[in-house]
Amino acid sequence: KAGVTQTPRYLIKTRGQQVTLSCSPISGHRSVSWYQQTPGQGLQFLFEYFSETQRNKGNFPGRFSGRQFSNSRSEMNVSTLELGDSALYLCASTVGSGSTDTQYFGPGTRLTVL
Amino acid sequence: QQPVQSPQAVILREGEDAVINCSSSKALYSVHWYRQKHGEAPVFLMILLKGGEQKGHEKISASFNEKKQQSSLYLTASQLSYSGTYFCGTGGLPGNTPLVFGKGTRLSVIA
């Protein structure tokens, strides 16, 4: 069974630009969660999608948005990039609930904002 | 609310034991433990659910004290391969609250 895939793996953008990251969950998994990882802050929860609906949202500004498609693939978008958005963005998929089921993480997308 | 992990970092010699703690100010339904090696994605270790039993896998086990809203991860007879950053994630009711991770505990095992 293929694992969680994320594309692209690396991105370099400049301030003010926008970016879209993609996540393909494990086949059969309906829930996708997104996390931002920066040194010292650990994994910060962004949002969780289940069957195309946003089920939970973390404490991030509206510049961060996401969506999920009918095939469970998910995208997240960050508009008007800031230097502080530089981070590793991880997505994780689960069969059902992100809070009780095992989360399987993808390799992440390393975003650098210059 | 982000759970609090302690210690922030620990250095062990091979064969020594370690305990990593995870505390939350909120009522918990689940506690997850993950290990992340440098440059890699976090890897699942175990889940502890409210009302469930203490979990264990080889020399790594964990407990969940629901009343104190705490969990502890126990690593016994540590091996070099145990090195990495350990994260606890805490969850509320399924479907209602997301999994929220602590800042991590960096564990280094040296020969």
Side-chain angles (χ1 to χ4, degrees):
Chain A
K1 201 180 227 185
V4 178
T5 58
Q6 291 187 245
T7 56
R9 293 292 311 277
Y10 301 91
L11 266 178
I12 299 176
K13 293 285 187 179
T14 56
R15 280 181 297 175
Q17 288 186 308
Q18 74 166 21
V19 66
T20 299
L21 313 180
S22 179
C23 171
S24 292
I26 293 173
S27 177
H29 286 195
R30 298 167 63 187
S31 171
V32 173
S33 297
W34 287 89
Y35 296 89
Q36 180 193 66
Q37 185 173 30
T38 54
Q41 291 303 312
L43 295 156
Q44 299 285 312
F45 172 76
L46 281 157
F47 22 67
E48 178 189 6
Y49 287 90
F50 181 84
S51 294
E52 302 180 65
T53 301
Q54 187 179 86
R55 188 155 62 179
N56 287 294
K57 189 177 190 303
N59 189 26
F60 277 81
R63 300 184 297 107
F64 292 81
S65 62
R67 59 178 176 170
Q68 187 180 33
F69 302 95
S70 58
N71 61 358
S72 293
R73 189 177 70 85
S74 178
E75 288 182 347
M76 69 162 276
N77 184 77
V78 187
S79 62
T80 318
L81 285 167
E82 301 177 359
L83 295 178
D85 296 334
S86 294
L88 179 66
Y89 290 88
L90 292 161
C91 83
S93 76
T94 64
V95 173
S97 167
S99 64
T100 55
D101 297 337
T102 301
Q103 296 212 16
Y104 295 88
F105 283 86
T109 294
R110 173 77 62 185
L111 172 65
T112 302
V113 183
L114 303 176
Chain B
Q1 287 88 335
Q2 191 174 33
V4 177
Q5 289 185 232
S6 62
Q8 290 184 315
V10 58
I11 299 174
L12 298 174
R13 292 196 176 276
E14 274 189 294
E16 292 183 336
D17 302 339
V19 179
I20 299 172
N21 299 302
C22 175
S23 298
S24 174
S25 59
K26 295 174 58 177
L28 300 178
Y29 187 88
S30 67
V31 179
H32 304 224
W33 286 96
Y34 287 79
R35 177 172 61 207
Q36 184 179 31
K37 293 183 179 290
H38 184 69
E40 300 179 7
V43 173
F44 170 77
L45 292 175
M46 63 189 75
I47 292 178
L48 299 100
L49 300 178
K50 184 176 181 179
E53 298 177 355
Q54 181 167 334
K55 295 278 189 173
H57 176 66
E58 296 182 345
K59 296 176 181 176
I60 300 177
S61 62
S63 63
F64 181 16
N65 187 322
E66 299 160 25
K67 289 184 179 178
K68 291 187 176 180
Q69 295 156 194
Q70 293 177 344
S71 177
S72 295
L73 186 71
Y74 306 95
L75 301 103
T76 58
S78 57
Q79 307 167 15
L80 293 175
S81 61
Y82 285 5
S83 293
T85 300
Y86 289 77
F87 292 97
C88 73
T90 55
L93 290 174
N96 289 347
T97 54
L99 191 64
V100 181
F101 286 91
K103 293 184 178 182
T105 295
R106 178 170 288 186
L107 179 76
S108 300
V109 181
I110 58 177

